[in-house]
Amino acid sequence: MFRHALFFALIAAPALGEELIEYDICDELWFMRNQVFANAGHCFESPLGQTMFDNASCTPGPVDLSSLEAAMVESFQADEARLNCAVDTSQ
């Protein structure tokens, strides 16, 4: 999955001569991982999670993930650990 995120970062990069936009792969991995949980109806408690995802129709407690979704989350978490990611979710 890390390669997919990196691919999207590369194709989204500006052309030569344009101002570079700061890109943080850790933020992207955090968002993709939590998008899986949001799609499953997870209720977010952190300020960042509540800002990025709608809790209006969330389900309190653990959510059920399909085997594919669980594998995606595991892959994102492995990439986050390998990169020593620490997204500040209090923002």
Side-chain angles (χ1 to χ4, degrees):
M1 285 297 174
F2 174 70
R3 285 173 275 163
H4 298 295
L6 183 58
F7 170 76
F8 289 119
L10 292 175
I11 64 170
L16 291 176
E18 293 182 23
E19 182 179 321
L20 291 177
I21 299 172
E22 184 177 330
Y23 178 83
D24 188 341
I25 190 72
C26 290
D27 290 340
E28 184 68 19
L29 289 167
W30 178 92
F31 180 81
M32 292 187 302
R33 174 173 50 85
N34 283 287
Q35 183 66 60
V36 173
F37 284 110
N39 290 345
H42 177 72
C43 295
F44 293 89
E45 296 180 16
S46 72
L48 181 58
Q50 290 178 2
T51 298
M52 299 301 294
F53 304 103
D54 183 14
N55 270 351
S57 59
C58 68
T59 305
V63 293
D64 292 324
L65 299 178
S66 69
S67 58
L68 175 61
E69 291 168 327
M72 290 171 60
V73 167
E74 185 177 314
S75 178
F76 294 141
Q77 288 174 325
D79 290 339
E80 289 173 288
R82 185 173 41 258
L83 295 169
N84 296 315
C85 292
V87 174
D88 180 5
T89 61
S90 67
Q91 50 185 334

